[in-house]
Amino acid sequence: CTMLCDFMERCFSLHLQLPPYFLLLHCDSKEHCLSHRRTDVLMMTPWFAPIVWEGTYNSEILNEEFRQRNVTVGLTVFAIKKYVVFLQKFLETAEMYFMVGHRVNYYVFTDRPEEVPKVALKDGRNVVVLKVQNYSRWQEISMRRMEMISYFSQKQFINEVNYLVSVDVDMRFNDEVGVEILSNLFGTLHPGFYASRRQSFTYERRSASQACVPRDEGDFYYAGGFFGGTVKEVYKLTKKCHEAIMLDKAKGIEAIWQEESHLNKYFVYHKPTKILSPEYLWDDNIGRPQILKKRRFLAVPKNHAAIRNK
């Protein structure tokens, strides 16, 4: 206990100088429940939330735990306008790697329900198409995700699933993404900032915006393309972010990175109970550092200009 406290005290004191990974204590065997297998990264936050990397958990133990709990996971994805073209690969790879062996509802938000592809699904897994409005600007479409997830969480999801995971559609699953990610509230370290200091984070800094984070606040920079938790916690997050977006909109303000800015503001003052490493949201265009043992969810190469606002 004394050694652990000393270690955490050093983590606290060095927090701003260290890359944002913190030690995860885990049980990879009954005999060595306080051991850890990764020595190249630190994996626990100052508020004792684990950061999930390959080699920090036992998937067999976790899968059995969640099977006993009879858990169903909802995966929300937005395929608006031409982004519907990414659905085929997204769903096919999700069937290969996402929550294998567990029940899943794929909630597909789209303005083109007739273009949602038919993909072979395993038992206990369903595609649920939710028709929504599109908007002229891709930034508006992006921000409206918070509104839609909030609305359907209260109206529908709360009665159908235990956990919600929200991800971007222009991606493909490349390796296992399982129940190790599940927690009351989780976010994902942004691949462009996971090793950066606070001063480099692209938070919204304008005090007039509801997304503003003061320069002496903030722990990590989270990606808007992968977050989740229990339906109750995701509802609270998305409702708060949507309300903040609407307050900004009434003043003619749009946060620098739209809903991602509001998500980061929320996580500053409502700490995630688990954080996912950039294994869970990666882009091969930025290389592949040695600490990245897995690339679980990968950006699909695309021409943004040809896809957005079409």
Side-chain angles (χ1 to χ4, degrees), residues 138-288:
W138 69 264
Q139 295 93 336
E140 184 77 10
I141 293 170
S142 185
M143 288 189 292
R144 290 286 177 173
R145 293 194 301 178
M146 293 299 187
E147 177 184 20
M148 291 296 98
I149 294 173
S150 170
Y151 174 78
F152 280 95
S153 290
Q154 188 178 42
K155 178 184 178 182
Q156 181 175 345
F157 302 158
I158 192 67
N159 300 314
E160 297 178 352
V161 297
N162 305 102
Y163 292 90
L164 276 179
V165 181
S166 175
V167 298
D168 286 344
V169 71
D170 53 345
M171 307 284 292
R172 65 180 176 87
F173 290 90
N174 187 63
D175 212 316
E176 292 183 359
V177 175
V179 295
E180 77 279 357
I181 73 172
L182 300 179
S183 187
N184 281 350
L185 182 65
F186 66 84
T188 303
L189 297 180
H190 194 291
F193 297 96
Y194 69 95
S196 301
R197 298 181 181 181
R198 176 193 289 164
Q199 294 87 341
S200 302
F201 296 164
T202 54
Y203 291 143
E204 173 59 65
R205 299 299 189 184
R206 292 172 294 172
S207 59
S209 172
Q210 294 292 312
C212 179
V213 177
R215 293 193 178 275
D216 61 346
E217 294 284 350
D219 311 289
F220 308 101
Y221 190 83
Y222 301 93
F226 202 132
F227 66 90
T230 63
V231 179
K232 178 181 177 181
E233 289 300 322
V234 171
Y235 169 72
K236 290 194 293 186
L237 181 158
T238 53
K239 181 174 184 289
K240 182 71 172 179
C241 288
H242 171 60
E243 290 172 348
I245 289 168
M246 290 297 102
L247 287 172
D248 271 6
K249 191 178 181 66
K251 295 188 291 184
I253 298 173
E254 185 175 285
I256 181 172
W257 294 112
Q258 295 83 44
E259 85 284 3
E260 184 174 271
S261 297
H262 291 276
L263 176 76
N264 272 277
K265 169 69 174 290
Y266 188 88
F267 280 151
V268 169
Y269 301 108
H270 305 80
K271 303 298 189 192
T273 52
K274 184 177 286 186
I275 295 176
L276 308 185
S277 72
E279 294 174 1
Y280 293 87
L281 188 67
W282 193 253
D283 188 334
D284 279 342
N285 286 326
I286 60 178
R288 186 177 179 183

Side-chain angles (χ1 to χ4, degrees), residues 3 24 29 32 37 52 55 66 106 110 152 159 166 211 250 276 291:
M3 291 178 64
L24 171 64
S29 71
H32 303 288
R37 287 177 281 177
V52 183
F66 280 90
Y106 298 108
T110 184
F152 280 95
N159 300 314
S166 175
L276 308 185
I291 60 170

Side-chain angles (χ1 to χ4, degrees), residues 6 14 34 67 71 84 114 130 132 148 239 262 284 305:
D6 288 343
L14 296 175
L34 292 180
R67 285 192 191 100
V71 160
V84 73
E114 69 283 356
L130 302 170
V132 293
M148 291 296 98
K239 181 174 184 289
H262 291 276
D284 279 342

